[in-house]
Amino acid sequence: MELNVERAGDIVVIRLAGSFNIDTIAIAEKALMREEMRGASLIALYCEKLKSIDSSAIGFLVKFFKFVRERDVSLVMCDLSDLIYRIFVTARLDRFFTLMTRAEFEERHLAR
């Protein structure tokens, strides 16, 4: 998995590419925890290049969601593939995660 981190003030954008699975959780955890601790108020995961996700990675995201919510940090997931989006909806994770397109996110949060 590739992970690229960008920062715009208190907003952190993390671009995910490749496969997010049990073998790559440690990479994501290190980056996400580091960025959240640097005072972010909003973290966006750009997922347009994310090819696959397994149940371990979804479990990590749920854990991370709870972690950031306790610290009053918002988490947004953008541009999930149709397959990954269906997984999130089927598992009812869309009730916890804010899912939107990248364009919606950038218009709402970055166009200041």
Side-chain angles (χ1 to χ4, degrees), residues 12 14 29 31-45 60-77 96-98:
V12 174
I14 300 175
E29 184 171 27
L32 292 172
M33 299 305 226
R34 180 183 70 240
E35 293 307 320
E36 190 281 328
M37 298 306 272
R38 287 180 44 201
S41 66
L42 175 62
I43 297 173
L45 303 178
F60 166 75
L61 287 174
V62 169
K63 177 181 156 187
F64 183 69
F65 172 79
K66 290 178 182 178
F67 177 80
V68 298
R69 293 303 301 165
E70 290 172 357
R71 287 153 182 80
D72 205 27
V73 177
S74 299
L75 182 63
V76 176
M77 299 186 72
F96 301 100
F97 294 98
T98 301

